[in-house]
Amino acid sequence: MFGWWEECDILERKAKFHLEMNHLGLAARLLDNAINMFEGKPKKHRGVDPARLSFTRASVCRLAGSSQCYSDIKRAIAYAPRNASYLQIRASWYSQDKMTSRAEADLTAAIKLDPEVAHYYYLRALVRMDGGKTPLAMDDLASSIALHPYTAEYHCVQGRILSQQGKTSEAIESLTRAVNLEPENANYYHWRGRLRRDQQFLSLALEDFDKSIFYAAEHSDFTWRSLTQAQMKDSRGAIESLGRAIELAPENSVYQQMLGKLQFGMGDCGPALESLKRAITLFPHSSDNYMWDGLVHSHIGEQLSATNSFDEAVSHHRGTKQLIWRGLNYLRTGEYMKAHHDFRVALKQGEAAELKLLLFWLGVACDLRGEKTEATRYWDRVRHVSANTPPSPADFTVPARLQLLSSYATSIPQGSMSDQGKDVREAEAEKYYDEFVSQPFPAFTARLELDELILLSRLYPQNSRVPNH
């Protein structure tokens, strides 16, 4: 005859066997039987531990997707209230289930039980990040690093938080420490490359993406390398890298859209439209796919197709940039009332990055409709915003940016002007355009800028000339 504790041990062993075989229901019933044998018995007897049994059953329920896991692990914690690892595991479940406050409370309790365990501070930092408590998360990461300075992941996460706070230089230093601790970890090169790209250290960023690809060739690494090459004006290299990404993730519509944009930047509009068509087929609900399809059609003068694509883009997402581009297309087709309407709706959405652009084009739309006073009012607002707003990267990332206003918008309401005045403004336009194309932006962005200059020159042929490019 077996003693009860021996029967418990046998049931536990059988449960573990069935768990390995993925027989979750049978494993849970066997553990139930073993736990029930402890009614009125000691908390632990001859190696059989009810806390361990309860925890194992909780793990089985978690694998099965049952909420019973929480009551089982609660019982395990009641049997072993000083076992910090049970609290840490329950915290991870709470975190996965978006119960961040409970996860944070459990990790705080675990830290009180074992204050020298660096990993608990690290996990609480992740939970606090999810809960928007970034300063407290940084404190926890500092504690993790102080206790265990040779764990590369702690430095990596610290770097990513610093980057979110706009402290890019410090973030790169943290990620460099992570790279030095684990020089074969592709993820650390990847994140440092993205930060270096943000800082316009493009050659260094490219080196990081190459290292990341060397250690783990993920499609996202090829994509970021492609974006960096595009900024470096290496369009062919960018297309080659993106081709590798597409080989690894052929169903990714974003990559097809990016390919279309790169081909458009090189002037290969036919292949660009084919790539964008594939993107639309893969993800027919993407507003951006239709918007870029419309931009390419507009560039080659196929206004009807462009109009249809812009209408589709707006129908899927009535966003600011979609309305701006459809409004510009209406200007091309002479539908100034519709253009004015789209610009007004976009302006009401209040995206600060697009404010100067929208005010400028609203002025153009009003001017073309004969509303000179209203046009002047919008252009005066542009001057006011420009005078009271420091330059931002956004001024270089949308077409018809503030640089154009200095040469065109300020002169449009003035009527006739001397040839000398025109020459000065045209020289300014060339200077601003040259400044723009010298920035590290992909060729397709410069091509859109040129399209806006062409549109402006056609709307106001007496006042403007398309700069050489």
Side-chain angles (χ1 to χ4, degrees):
M1 293 289 293
F2 292 117
W4 66 269
W5 60 88
E6 292 170 310
E7 290 185 30
C8 275
D9 183 60
I10 292 170
L11 288 170
E12 184 178 12
R13 291 172 186 270
K14 286 183 176 180
K16 287 181 177 178
F17 168 79
H18 286 292
L19 180 57
E20 290 175 0
M21 300 297 292
N22 205 34
H23 301 155
L24 301 181
L26 182 54
R29 288 194 294 274
L30 291 167
L31 289 164
D32 265 343
N33 293 337
I35 291 166
N36 290 335
M37 287 185 177
F38 267 92
E39 292 296 329
K41 305 289 193 310
K43 286 188 176 180
K44 192 172 182 179
H45 190 75
R46 298 193 180 186
V48 182
D49 183 357
R52 186 180 68 234
L53 289 170
S54 298
F55 171 70
T56 304
R57 191 183 187 286
S59 301
V60 170
C61 289
R62 186 69 184 178
L63 288 171
S66 170
S67 60
Q68 179 69 26
C69 63
Y70 285 114
S71 57
D72 283 335
I73 201 167
K74 181 179 179 181
R75 181 166 52 188
I77 292 168
Y79 276 122
R82 297 197 60 78
N83 190 321
S85 65
Y86 291 164
L87 289 165
Q88 179 252 303
I89 289 166
R90 185 171 68 175
S92 71
W93 294 350
Y94 280 142
S95 180
Q96 291 166 13
D97 295 340
K98 309 301 181 185
M99 293 185 276
T100 53
S101 59
R102 293 185 179 184
E104 184 179 353
D106 269 359
L107 287 165
T108 300
I111 288 168
K112 287 181 180 178
L113 291 172
D114 273 334
E116 300 301 311
V117 179
H119 197 59
Y120 294 163
Y121 293 97
Y122 166 72
L123 292 174
R124 189 171 67 175
L126 297 181
V127 169
R128 284 175 163 174
M129 280 173 60
D130 288 343
K133 300 178 179 179
T134 304
L136 291 175
M138 288 298 288
D139 290 343
D140 279 341
L141 280 171
S143 298
S144 298
I145 291 169
L147 288 166
H148 207 291
Y150 302 111
T151 300
E153 184 65 17
Y154 299 165
H155 294 283
C156 176
V157 174
Q158 184 185 55
R160 292 177 63 181
I161 296 177
L162 286 167
S163 72
Q164 292 172 5
Q165 295 177 322
K167 301 175 182 178
T168 310
S169 297
E170 294 175 47
I172 291 173
E173 290 176 7
S174 292
L175 282 157
T176 298
R177 287 193 290 272
V179 166
N180 291 338
L181 288 166
E182 287 188 27
E184 296 184 3
N185 189 309
N187 190 46
Y188 303 154
Y189 290 106
H190 174 90
W191 284 107
R192 188 175 68 176
R194 289 175 65 167
L195 292 177
R196 283 174 162 175
R197 178 176 174 268
D198 289 343
Q199 289 284 81
Q200 304 304 322
F201 301 143
L202 300 180
S203 296
L204 291 174
L206 200 60
E207 289 178 12
D208 276 343
F209 293 132
D210 286 341
K211 281 276 191 179
S212 184
I213 289 167
F214 178 78
Y215 289 115
E218 298 288 339
H219 58 85
S220 60
D221 294 315
F222 286 108
T223 305
W224 282 99
R225 184 170 73 173
S226 175
L227 290 169
T228 306
Q229 289 169 313
Q231 280 188 265
M232 297 170 74
K233 315 298 188 194
D234 180 11
S235 296
R236 294 198 181 280
I239 288 175
E240 182 181 346
S241 294
L242 194 56
R244 295 291 305 280
I246 290 171
E247 287 175 11
L248 294 169
E251 300 302 310
N252 190 313
S253 70
V254 174
Y255 295 170
Q256 295 288 349
Q257 181 202 112
M258 287 175 60
L259 179 60
K261 288 158 67 174
L262 290 170
Q263 291 165 329
F264 169 61
M266 292 185 66
D268 297 333
C269 294
L273 288 172
E274 291 175 8
S275 296
L276 290 165
K277 184 177 180 180
R278 286 194 295 271
I280 290 169
T281 301
L282 288 168
F283 190 16
H285 304 294
S286 168
S287 177
D288 277 0
N289 288 341
Y290 289 106
M291 187 183 74
W292 277 98
D293 187 69
L295 288 168
V296 178
H297 279 296
S298 177
H299 177 78
I300 60 179
E302 296 180 354
Q303 298 306 139
L304 180 58
S305 296
T307 299
N308 292 336
S309 292
F310 286 130
D311 285 345
E312 283 285 350
V314 173
S315 72
H316 287 289
H317 178 56
R318 203 174 181 82
T320 300
K321 62 182 179 180
Q322 284 83 358
L323 289 165
I324 289 173
W325 284 113
R326 189 172 71 171
L328 291 174
N329 190 61
Y330 284 141
L331 289 181
R332 287 188 178 91
T333 57
E335 299 172 272
Y336 304 143
M337 180 73 75
K338 290 182 178 180
H340 181 268
H341 176 266
D342 274 358
F343 294 146
R344 284 291 302 272
V345 174
L347 185 63
K348 289 178 181 178
Q349 294 181 354
E351 290 191 21
E354 313 287 1
L355 182 57
K356 298 171 189 176
L357 173 69
L358 279 168
L359 291 171
F360 170 62
W361 284 112
L362 265 168
V364 170
C366 288
D367 187 54
L368 294 170
R369 293 171 60 197
E371 300 171 356
K372 305 295 184 182
T373 302
E374 191 74 0
T376 302
R377 186 173 69 85
Y378 281 121
W379 286 324
D380 285 343
R381 285 180 64 187
V382 173
R383 296 187 189 95
H384 176 76
V385 171
S386 302
N388 293 280
T389 306
S392 70
D395 290 331
F396 282 104
T397 57
V398 291
R401 63 213 80 258
L402 182 60
Q403 288 86 329
L404 294 177
L405 306 184
S406 298
S407 56
Y408 297 123
T410 56
S411 63
I412 289 170
Q414 305 301 324
S416 62
M417 64 189 75
S418 68
D419 289 340
Q420 182 180 2
K422 283 178 64 177
D423 290 341
V424 169
R425 291 182 181 89
E426 288 168 356
E428 287 175 348
E430 288 192 357
K431 181 186 71 174
Y432 288 125
Y433 182 71
D434 289 343
E435 180 185 355
F436 171 74
V437 296
S438 70
Q439 300 295 318
F441 294 110
F444 58 80
T445 308
R447 191 167 292 277
L448 291 179
E449 172 71 9
L450 184 59
D451 281 355
E452 296 313 305
L453 282 166
I454 292 170
L455 172 61
L456 202 57
S457 71
R458 290 175 179 171
L459 294 172
Y460 293 96
Q462 73 279 15
N463 287 346
S464 59
R465 176 170 58 84
V466 179
N468 296 325
H469 67 288

